[in-house]
Amino acid sequence: MNWKEITTLEEWNEIMAKSTERGQVILKHSTTCPVSSNALHEYEQYLQDTPNQDLDYTLVKVIESRPVSNKIAEDLNVKHESPQIIFIKDEAKYWTTSHWSVTKAHMTAVLD
């Protein structure tokens, strides 16, 4: 399974709307941060194994897509962190974690 990158507020709004029908997982990723690089690797490892097929997986690059990243923090009332993974259901944050806690094992425990 693969993730989809979003870059626009319209795409973010679509994800929020979809979260009422299907869980959404967002990874906020900084392309300049080694911790974020590790988190992206963990995210991809989770997706290459046996991810929860009932969820959609998305990536937001926080520097390149700053307005989207800021809107996510605002809409979900979560403090911006990077890397950060957020699980959304019914247009609300269900679970979030950041930095070194973004691991395949942690994602498996929560998402599966």
Side-chain angles (χ1 to χ4, degrees), residues 2-58:
N2 294 318
W3 47 263
K4 174 188 169 198
E5 181 179 353
I6 62 167
T7 59
T8 69
L9 293 173
E10 292 77 18
E11 289 171 314
W12 165 243
N13 291 333
E14 288 173 17
I15 285 173
M16 279 293 277
K18 275 197 247 177
S19 76
T20 62
E21 303 164 11
R22 190 175 162 88
Q24 303 292 311
V25 180
I26 311 292
L27 177 67
K28 291 175 74 174
H29 169 62
S30 171
T31 53
T32 63
C33 171
V35 177
S36 198
S37 178
N38 183 74
L40 178 60
H41 176 74
E42 293 285 329
Y43 191 55
E44 290 176 333
Q45 289 297 308
Y46 171 78
L47 292 175
Q48 287 174 9
D49 196 9
T50 53
N52 184 333
Q53 300 290 317
D54 296 326
L55 305 174
D56 294 327
Y57 300 90
T58 302

